[in-house]
Amino acid sequence: MGQRLRKNLTGYAFISPFIIGFLCFTLVPMAISLYLSFTKYNLFAPPRWIGFDNYIKMFTGDPKYVHSLKVTLLYVFIGVPLRLGFALFVAMILNTRSRMVGAYRTMYYLPSIIGGSVAVSIMWRNIFSDTGIINGMLGFFGLGPVSWFGNPNAALFMLITLSVWQFGSSMLIFLAGLKNISGEMYEAASVDGASFLRKFFKITLPLLSSVILFNMVMQTISAFMTFVPAYIISKGEGGPMDGTMLYSLYLFRQAFMFNNMGYASAMAWVMLLLVGIMTGILFKTSKSWVFYESGEESEPWRTIKSNGLSIIFSSAGLLLSCCTRYFGWSSAPSRRAASYL
Amino acid sequence: MKKRFALLAVPMLLSMLAGCGGSNNNTPDSAATSAAGSQPATATAASSSDPVTLRIAWWGGDTRHSYTQQVIDMYEAQNPNVKIEPEYASFDDYWKKLAPQAAANRLPDIVQMDVSYINQYGSNGQLEDMTPYLNKTVQVGDVNENVLGTGKIDGKQYGIPLGVNVLGFHYDPALLKKAGVDSVPENWTWDQYKEIAMKAKAAGLYMDSSMAADIFFNYYLRTKGLSLYNTDGSALGYDDDALFSDFFGMLSDLIAKGAVPSQDKLSQNKGVIEEADVVKGTGIGIWQWSNQYVALQIAVNRPMELAQMPGPDMEKGLYMQPSMYWSVTANSKNKEEAAKFIDFWTNNVEANKLIKGERGVPISSKIKESLATELTEPGQQVFKFVADMEPKTSPMSPPVGSPEVVALLTDLAEQMNFGQITPDAAAVQFRKEASEILANR
C-alpha cells in the first residue's frame, strides 16, 4: 500500500458511503432509466427496444402529457415568484430588532420543516374542504363556498398557496442576505432623505440580487419536482379534470399505475432537460440583473455556477429517488384502500 | 489522535453502510425461505412435518390486517411446521410493490389478487393453475360453479375467490318515501330509475352519488350481451357507440337536472364515506358492491335496504363479483402448503368466525350457514341479498382489463358530468384512445 493511499485511507473511508450510495442509487439507476426510456417495458415482459417512440409520443400523441406540462409551468411561474416575494417580505419584517424575533423566526420556519410531508397536505385538504375553515371565513364575509377540489383552476390555486406557505427555507436565506447589508448604507441614504421605497429598490434589492438568484434557481428546481401535495390532495388522480396533474404526478401514474416504465423514464429525462434549460436561462439572464459588490462574482457563487451541472444531476437523482421510494412497503392503511375493500 | 479517528471510522462506516443497504434486507430472509422451501419441494408430500415458510401478501385496512393475522396465528398453531410471513399494504401501494417483485421472480407464495389484475398476472405466467389442487387439497364441493368460475381464465383456475359481492342500490327507505315512492319496484328498469330520481329532485333530495364509470357501464353492456373488453382484451367489447352515449348521457343528464350532485360536489367527497349525501340524509342511496353495505349502514345509522340493479335483462348483466382471490404464485417453492392454507381459509369454520365475511360473502355454502348466527343485522341483510341474487347471476371471467383504460373512462365521465364534452364526442374519443391503449399492450 502506497504511502499516500495509506495517508488518505481515513478520508476515503469516510467518503465511501456517499460514493457507494451515489453509484448504487443514483448513477446506475440513471443509466438504466436512460436505457429504459428507449424501450417499452411493463415489468412483466423484458424491455423491448423502440428507439425514440416514447419521446415522439410525448409531444405528438399524448394530449395529457402536454396538459401536465402546462399545469406544471403554471405552477412554477406563478408559485415561485409568489413564494420568493412572500419570503422576502417576511424576512424583512423579521430583520427588525424586536424582543421576540427569535421565536418569530422559528414559528415562520416551522411550515417548511413539516412542509413536504403527507400530513400537511392532508391538513391542507381539510382546510380547503367543503366545510373547511377557508369556506367558513368566506361565508362570514357573505361569499359563497368555493369548491376548491371541484373546480380545476381553484385546485391548482390551492396547490400554489400551499407552496407559498412553505416559504421558510428561502426566507432564512434572504434573512442571512439582509443581515449582510451594512447599516451604514441605509444611514447614509436616510441622511440624503431617501424614502423607504427608494432604499428598498436602490440598496436592498441590488445587494440581495445574488441571493435572489440562488433562491430562484433552487425553488424552480424543487417546484418542477413537486409531487406529494398533488398526489395527496387529488388522491393520486390529478383531478378534478386533471387540474392538479403536475408533471411528476403524471410520470408517477404512468410508471406505477399503468406500468409504462419506458414511457415514464423518457418523461423523467425530458424533465431533466427542461430543468436544465430553465436553470441555464436563469444563469444567462442573471448577468444583467445580479449585482456583485466587489465588481466580481463572490467566491461561493463561482463555485455554485461551475457546479451547475451537478445541481441538475442531483435534481434528477431526487426525481428518481422520489419514484423508487414508492417501491417500499407502506403499512399505513390509506382511506381510499379502506373504502375500496 | 489520528489513529483513534481511523479506528472510530470503521464501526461508523459499517453502521452507515448497513443503513444504506436497508432496502436489501430481504435478501438473507428470502434466501432462508428458499433454502427451507427447497427441502419439502424435493421430498414432496411424504414429509409434511418439514419446516416450511410461506410468504403471504394482501392489501386492506387495519381491521383486515388484524383478523388476518389472527387467522394466520390459528393456522400456525394447528400446523407447527408452517411459519407464515405476512406482507401487507394499502391497495395502491400493494400493486406498486407486487409488480417489481413479479419482474424479479420473487413474488410471495400466496398473493391476494384483484379482478382487475388477475388476468394480467395469470396470462403472464406469474400464477399457478389451481385446477389439479381442486377437491384434493382445496375442497370446493360446496361452492357454486358460477362463483368458482370467476377465478377461471381460459379453463385455468388462477385464483380461489375469498368471497363474492353483487352490485346493488343501497338506500334509506324512509327518504325514498319522502320522495313519494313506497319502495323500489321489484324488477325496475332504467326508465323507472330516472322517474324516481326526478321525484327525489322534486322532494329536495339527491337520488344517488352517480355510478363508478367502468363497473356500471360494463354491467349495462352485459345486459345487452356485450362487455367493456373483448375476450382477449385486445379491443373494446362493443361496436355501437350509441350504447356509450345512452348510458353516460343518462348519468350526466341526471346531474344536469340536479337529481344527482354536480361533479364539482362529487369530487369533493371522493373516498370519505362520512361525507356522502346518504349519510347526511340529503341523498337517498348509493350504487356500490354488497360488501360495502355494512360500513355504510354503520355510518348512516338508520334502517337501510338493498335493491337490485335496474333492467331490462338484469340477469344477463348481473354477476357474482369475487371481492378478491387467493392465488398461488408460479415461483412458489411450496405450492402444496400454500394450497393447504387456502383450503383452511375457505373451509374452516373457526377461521371464518374471525373473518366474518369481511372479504365478501364466503363462497362455501356450509360456511355461509354456520356464519348466519354470528352476523350483525346488516351483515345478515348482505348475506340474504347475495343469496337472493346468486341464482339470477350469469357467469363471468375476469376481464383482460387495463387500469389505463379505466382511468381514461373515469376522466371522460368526469368531463361529461362537468358538461365539457358531449356523450357522443366522448364515445368517439373513448373508442379511439382505448383501442390504442389495448392494441399497444
Side-chain angles (χ1 to χ4, degrees), chain A residues 25 29 252 256 317-328, chain B residues 23:
Chain A
F25 301 115
F252 175 82
F256 298 102
L318 263 175
L319 183 71
L320 282 168
S321 68
C322 132
C323 293
T324 45
R325 182 165 76 211
Y326 286 90
F327 278 112
Chain B
S23 54

Side-chain angles (χ1 to χ4, degrees), chain B residues 16 30 33 51 89 99 148 196 216 219 230 238 322 349 412 428:
Chain B
M16 279 163 112
S30 55
T33 314
L148 195 65
I196 297 175
F216 288 89
Y219 164 78
N230 68 359
Y238 66 99
V349 177
L412 285 171
V428 175

Side-chain angles (χ1 to χ4, degrees), chain B residues 14 74 85 107 140 146 148 165 187 259 273 397:
Chain B
L14 282 176
M74 188 191 272
E85 293 174 351
L107 284 170
V140 288
N146 261 359
L148 195 65
N165 302 314
N187 286 306
I273 201 170
S397 263

Side-chain angles (χ1 to χ4, degrees), chain A residues 7 10 12-17 20-21 25 40-45 48 57 61 63-64 125-126 128-131 135 146-152 231 234-235 237 239-242 245 252-254 256-260 326-341, chain B residues 2 5-6 9 12-13 16-17 20-21 23 57 59-62 64-65 87-94 96-103 114 116-117 120-121 124 126 263-265 267-272 280 291-292 295 323-324 358 403-404 407 411 414-415 418 420 433 436 440-441:
Chain A
K7 220 170 104 193
T10 319
Y12 288 129
F14 270 114
I15 200 153
S16 59
I20 293 168
F25 301 115
K40 187 186 172 80
Y41 181 44
N42 67 358
L43 284 173
F44 289 100
R48 192 159 54 78
K57 184 189 162 196
K64 246 190 155 153
R125 200 185 150 84
N126 287 337
F128 281 91
S129 80
D130 222 358
T131 51
N135 275 331
V146 176
S147 62
W148 300 98
F149 309 107
N151 185 319
Y231 180 78
S234 73
K235 311 227 163 205
E237 285 166 23
M241 295 254 303
D242 297 336
M245 188 66 89
F252 175 82
R253 277 173 74 77
Q254 285 291 345
F256 298 102
M257 296 184 147
F258 306 152
N259 282 352
N260 294 333
Y326 286 90
F327 278 112
W329 272 136
S330 145
S331 57
S334 81
R335 246 182 191 166
R336 172 136 174 254
S339 66
Y340 184 93
L341 289 169
Chain B
K2 215 172 185 183
F5 256 125
M12 254 179 88
L13 185 62
M16 279 163 112
L17 277 177
C20 294
S23 54
W59 74 83
D62 274 346
R64 184 175 301 165
H65 299 330
E87 297 174 11
Y88 50 83
S90 66
F91 185 78
D92 284 346
D93 290 339
Y94 183 78
K96 280 165 221 158
K97 176 75 176 174
L98 218 55
Q101 280 185 336
D114 184 67
S116 53
Y117 285 89
Q120 184 185 9
Y121 280 78
N124 275 302
Q126 302 286 346
Q263 181 62 40
D264 188 311
K265 208 161 172 302
S267 320
Q268 306 230 15
N269 292 346
K270 214 184 288 169
V272 189
K280 291 190 286 193
N291 65 327
Q292 294 167 311
S323 55
M324 48 203 82
E358 194 270 339
E404 212 171 340
D411 272 3
E414 209 177 48
Q415 288 180 37
F418 263 122
Q420 302 246 344
E433 291 185 23
E436 260 171 43
N440 261 325
R441 277 177 335 132

